[in-house]
Amino acid sequence: MLLAGILPAHGQTTITILHTNDLHGHVEPVVMKGKSYGGYARHVTLVRKFREEDPNVLLLSGGDTFQGTLYSKVYDGLADLYFLERMGYDGAAAGNHEFDRGPGPLAVFARNATFPVLAANLDVSGEPLLTGLVKPTAVVEVAGRKIGLVGAVTPELPLLSNPGPNVHVLDLEPSVRGAIAALEEQGVDVVVLLSHLGYTLEKDLASRVAGIDVIVGGHSHTLLGDLGRPDLPAGDGPYPTVVDAPDGSRTLLVSSWQWGLVLGRIQVDFDEAGHVAAWREARPILVDETVPEDPESRAAVLAFARPIETLRSKVIGRTGAGLEAGRDARRRECPLGNVVADAFLAATEAAGTRIAFANGGAIRRSIEPGDVTYQDVIEVQPFGNTLVVVDVTGAKVLEALEHGVAGWAEDKGGFLHASTGFEYTFDVSRPAGARVVDATLDGRPIDPAATYRVAVTSFVARGGDGHRAFLEPSGLSTDTGIVDSEATIEYFETRPDLDAIRG
């Protein structure tokens, strides 16, 4: 048992915080490297176990319950809500993806939830669908003590989602300070921030704003702590990450990766003044095959899955000539590669994206002439990568193109397909580093000194297929959470005959 900090003071209260973030519609387990992780039926088992064993449990979410699987497409978060209610969540941050289809789906979700949906830095008073449903704060009572919950959502919400004209993002720090002050007036001395801000901004906020005892993080899909598994990623920081607050107290920051792959758990002792005195049992718990599925929850998953299977065969568009790709997508631009890049551009246009690239290695097959189904697109893009919007210089754009054509002879997957309006030519007989002959955007040569906002998959943005150019942004760099195949599906749905666009 790990004990940190000073010994608990007289009159202390121990609270166990269980938490998730960025579930993104992952009702079913996720298979990685042949092994199964996550799934709500396993979470139900774990939460029930800890509620029986641990003192004073709070179950909290750092947001982004929506978007990422066909369950989100069909149920708009309501399938997830069934299981969140079954586990007894006590509060959730409003994530940016809760607004992907406008305020309506979030309104239905929040109206049916018995727990509060929170965002102190949003003004929803002008949006009739959300008025009174998304609140800045909530108070829950644990062991006779008032615990204040404050919500916060990324300030980039209008760039990343579709909140509509009546939802306004407020300045973050004043909003959180005001929310904490309002809670203190109600006699609250323990504050937990349910944050959908991302790890970096969460650390910065904790260092600048007094009165936050614990941050349950989200948005950046950050894994904290050590899972003890060499086949899984290492944590991006300690669990908890301890930040010194301006008033001399400490803020504990926790985050639990993504998709329900882990469940965060920490026991915190608060002293008489409400400050963090000590913590223990602090770690991310891997939700793997050793965790049995709750039978009733598993039956519910199977019931929710039936319409999903029907959806897979749903026709979303048609192509008379077919859209070619296959292995040739690794060596030259092809119709389907350009369609996918155009889909990425359309999905991120609200963020001001001007260029989108799709790497050839992520396009796994052609689409034959005739009807196009959901399943077709899922087989074209099976990896579940998300779209990242990143500002890079023109020099970096050219570097990315050069890297893509460098593997031409070996059929490597880094070759880049470009969205409409962007054109480039290359000559593989030229020396390395000089194979891109020209590159233009809307007919104008790419300026090496200018900054361009580009959309790529999370795989490419992280350096996949050897790409390095997008690791050095000159401005914005944010994971939208939009799944690549979902972007392509929506593109087909809004353009039922792609032959008129590409062919």
Side-chain angles (χ1 to χ4, degrees), residues 335-353:
L336 184 53
N338 292 136
V339 165
V340 170
D342 283 348
F344 292 175
L345 187 64
T348 59
E349 62 183 354
T353 305

Side-chain angles (χ1 to χ4, degrees), residues 402 405-406 425-438:
E402 283 285 350
V405 302
T425 58
F426 62 94
D427 182 350
V428 294
S429 68
R430 296 175 64 167
R435 290 170 176 157
V436 174
V437 177
D438 59 66

Side-chain angles (χ1 to χ4, degrees), residues 24-192:
H24 285 295
H26 283 81
V27 174
E28 297 183 14
V30 176
V31 177
M32 299 189 303
K33 299 180 180 179
K35 296 180 180 179
S36 172
Y37 303 94
Y40 284 135
R42 290 176 180 149
H43 274 256
V44 170
T45 297
L46 275 179
V47 169
R48 180 181 296 129
K49 165 184 165 64
F50 292 130
R51 285 194 182 280
E52 292 172 352
E53 297 176 356
D54 292 348
N56 306 325
V57 170
L58 276 177
L59 179 57
L60 304 169
S61 166
D64 267 8
T65 302
F66 290 37
Q67 171 64 261
T69 68
L70 291 181
Y71 286 92
S72 292
K73 186 81 171 178
V74 171
Y75 296 108
D76 273 331
L78 295 183
D80 305 80
L81 181 60
Y82 171 84
F83 296 101
L84 302 188
E85 289 288 343
R86 189 174 181 86
M87 287 181 273
Y89 271 69
D90 295 289
N96 53 290
H97 284 293
E98 272 70 279
F99 293 91
D100 280 354
R101 299 187 192 179
L106 176 57
V108 175
F109 180 94
R111 188 179 301 115
N112 286 280
T114 59
F115 55 84
V117 178
L118 305 174
N121 61 326
L122 287 187
D123 178 2
V124 300
S125 61
E127 176 48 69
L129 292 174
L130 291 176
T131 302
L133 293 176
V134 177
K135 302 176 182 179
T137 66
V139 178
V140 295
E141 190 167 303
V142 179
R145 188 165 202 161
K146 291 182 177 179
I147 308 298
L149 305 179
V150 179
V153 65
T154 172
E156 297 172 350
L157 174 65
L159 296 178
L160 302 179
S161 194
N162 183 34
N166 300 322
V167 175
H168 301 288
V169 179
L170 307 175
D171 288 342
L172 178 61
E173 283 190 35
S175 300
V176 174
R177 292 181 197 274
I180 293 171
L183 289 171
E184 290 173 346
E185 290 179 1
Q186 301 176 57
V188 170
D189 61 5
V190 173
V191 172
V192 179

Side-chain angles (χ1 to χ4, degrees), residues 282-367:
R283 64 188 179 93
I285 298 164
L286 188 62
V287 186
D288 61 12
E289 294 164 335
T290 66
V291 179
E293 294 185 313
D294 171 66
E296 291 184 10
S297 298
R298 179 58 185 165
V301 170
L302 293 175
F304 281 119
R306 287 172 185 165
I308 303 298
E309 293 308 311
T310 301
L311 180 61
R312 290 181 186 275
S313 61
K314 179 183 175 182
V315 174
I316 58 173
R318 181 175 177 78
T319 169
L323 294 166
E324 289 295 324
R327 294 291 298 183
D328 212 35
R330 296 168 178 258
R331 303 188 73 176
R332 57 179 57 86
E333 289 195 271
C334 59
L336 184 53
N338 292 136
V339 165
V340 170
D342 283 348
F344 292 175
L345 187 64
T348 59
E349 62 183 354
T353 305
R354 300 182 64 196
I355 306 166
F357 293 125
N359 62 305
I363 300 170
R364 309 305 287 183
R365 72 168 177 87
S366 300
I367 291 180

Side-chain angles (χ1 to χ4, degrees), residues 52 135 215 270 371 489:
E52 292 172 352
K135 302 176 182 179
I215 297 177
F270 296 96
D371 291 339
I489 286 168

Side-chain angles (χ1 to χ4, degrees), residues 232-287:
L232 294 175
D236 294 311
Y239 184 110
T241 295
V242 183
V243 181
D244 292 327
D247 61 356
S249 63
R250 294 171 297 184
T251 300
L252 306 182
L253 170 54
V254 294
S255 179
S256 54
W257 200 8
Q258 61 184 4
W259 306 347
L261 303 175
V262 302
L263 174 69
R265 177 178 177 236
I266 183 171
Q267 293 182 358
V268 185
D269 295 328
F270 296 96
D271 64 22
E272 290 177 315
H275 297 309
V276 173
W279 59 93
R280 54 190 171 277
E281 299 293 343
R283 64 188 179 93
I285 298 164
L286 188 62
V287 186

